[in-house]
């Protein structure tokens, strides 16, 4: 579902992605771990071309990502993304936030888009917030709305970049539970998170990044019990 081949990315003289080769099969949940600055967000942003790459190839469901243009917009619609900062449209209601993409990009009719949106809001447990504005919701509710908005595009892949890092601790689980539900339903997911409980519970696979490289790629039990590299051991020693 996601294939990256020999992907390189620099910011000036800083080499942030070093020959990334990565395949994520359909339905797989991959958790990406690694110290701050190791290139996790850049990897995630490269996958839907929010960040252009220097060289290499990225394909979603067998279709290579083009550099720009209309087909890029379509491909992006196949890749849902949820950020640390919820990035909801402040001057639109929650319902409008969720229906906007399907109406504008997918050309879905208004009534159908609203029906789909209400179903998604129900799935993330916030139907009662549909007519409110983002600022009227808690952080956890806003992040669940952001997930519903991404799902409304019927993406093939969901990318999460530290979706719970900006939340008060008591709201972390309500968001992780929604994500775990998606994982159970077979969504292909790439999740950058420091929530080790989620990694153990939901990940099929853990990638550990350091200095722009994927240093380890293992099943969670193997990674947490017996990491190969000193860098991973050091990282786990600091966070566990
Ligand atoms: P992570 O998400 O693992 O913390 P990032 O992918 O955000 O790492 O960043 C990797 C490196 O690239 C860091 O050193 C960061 O400072 C640098 N970086 C990220 N975005 C930019 C940018 N737009 N311009 C210059 N440097 C950047
Ligand atoms: Mg980051």
């Amino acid at each position: 579902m996601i294939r990256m081949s020999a992907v390189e990315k620099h910011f000036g003289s800083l080499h942030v992605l070093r020959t990334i080769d990565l395949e994520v099969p359909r339905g797989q949940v991959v958790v990406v771990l690694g110290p701050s600055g190791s290139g996790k967000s850049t990897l995630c942003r490269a996958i839907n071309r929010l960040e252009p790459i220097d060289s290499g190839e990225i394909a979603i469901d067998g279709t290579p990502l083009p550099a720009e243009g209309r087909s890029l917009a379509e491909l992006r619609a196949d890749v849902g993304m949820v950020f640390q900062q919820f990035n909801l449209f402040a001057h639109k209601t929650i319902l409008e936030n969720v229906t906007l993409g399907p109406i504008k990009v997918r050309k879905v009719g208004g009534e159908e888009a609203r029906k789909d949106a209400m179903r998604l809001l129900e799935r993330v447990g916030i139907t009662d917030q549909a007519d409110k504005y983002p600022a009227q919701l808690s952080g956890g509710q806003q992040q669940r709305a952001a997930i519903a908005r991404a799902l409304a595009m019927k993406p093939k892949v969901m990318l999460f970049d530290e979706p719970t890092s900006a939340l008060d601790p008591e709201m972390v689980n309500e968001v992780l539970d929604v994500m775990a539900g998606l994982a159970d339903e077979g969504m292909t997911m790439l999740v950058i998170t420091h929530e080790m409980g989620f990694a153990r519970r939901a990940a099929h696979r853990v990638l550990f990044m350091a200095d722009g490289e994927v240093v380890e790629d293992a099943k969670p039990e193997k990674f947490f019990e017996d990491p190969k590299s000193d860098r991973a051991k050091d990282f786990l020693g600091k966070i566990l």
Side-chain angles (χ1 to χ4, degrees):
M1 188 55 84
I2 306 173
R3 196 183 62 240
M4 304 180 82
S5 323
V7 170
E8 305 285 348
K9 170 75 182 177
H10 292 77
F11 286 116
S13 61
L14 189 66
H15 201 170
V16 277
L17 296 179
R18 297 172 187 260
T19 322
I20 302 287
D21 290 300
L22 173 65
E23 286 193 27
V24 180
R26 188 183 306 269
Q28 193 170 72
V29 178
V30 177
V31 164
V32 183
L33 303 175
S36 178
S38 55
K40 305 180 300 294
S41 293
T42 306
L43 176 88
C44 210
R45 293 166 59 81
I47 293 173
N48 62 0
R49 280 287 204 272
L50 283 174
E51 204 66 78
I53 56 175
D54 300 338
S55 60
E57 222 187 53
I58 302 175
I60 302 297
D61 198 15
T63 308
L65 282 190
E68 56 191 20
R70 165 135 194 85
S71 50
L72 176 60
E74 281 163 13
L75 252 180
R76 262 191 200 150
D78 284 339
V79 183
M81 185 142 178
V82 175
F83 303 89
Q84 181 174 335
Q85 299 302 339
F86 326 120
N87 294 351
L88 294 166
F89 302 112
H91 301 292
K92 296 198 180 294
T93 65
I94 296 304
L95 183 63
E96 288 164 348
N97 264 277
V98 179
T99 56
L100 194 68
I103 291 171
K104 290 253 188 234
V105 180
R106 297 283 200 207
K107 308 295 178 204
V108 175
E111 203 37 53
E112 190 188 340
R114 274 186 291 277
K115 247 194 263 165
D116 280 352
M118 288 309 292
R119 242 195 345 258
L120 286 168
L121 292 179
E122 186 175 347
R123 176 165 167 190
V124 302
I126 53 168
T127 40
D128 46 342
Q129 312 297 322
D131 297 321
K132 293 189 187 166
Y133 288 87
Q136 296 173 288
L137 273 61
S138 73
Q141 289 170 329
Q142 287 187 60
Q143 194 59 302
R144 286 184 282 151
I147 294 172
R149 183 177 63 172
L151 291 175
M153 298 296 278
K154 301 191 170 36
K156 294 176 173 174
V157 173
M158 285 284 285
L159 309 175
F160 294 86
D161 190 353
E162 302 200 22
T164 60
S165 297
L167 298 177
D168 292 333
E170 74 272 20
M171 294 171 189
V172 167
N173 279 330
E174 66 194 53
V175 172
L176 293 178
D177 286 346
V178 168
M179 292 165 58
L182 269 182
D184 285 343
E185 289 165 28
M187 177 62 80
T188 308
M189 295 166 52
L190 193 84
V191 183
I192 303 172
T193 183
H194 301 299
E195 295 293 332
M196 298 303 135
F198 178 82
R200 285 175 185 272
R201 166 163 72 137
H204 298 111
R205 186 174 162 198
V206 170
L207 301 184
F208 176 73
M209 284 188 76
D211 297 330
E213 276 180 291
V214 176
V215 176
E216 302 211 23
D217 181 348
K219 288 198 157 51
E221 51 273 27
K222 163 87 178 113
F223 178 77
F224 289 115
E225 306 316 323
D226 185 23
K228 290 187 304 215
S229 65
D230 288 340
R231 281 188 288 191
K233 284 178 195 158
D234 183 52
F235 174 79
L236 287 172
K238 283 181 182 141
I239 57 162
L240 292 181

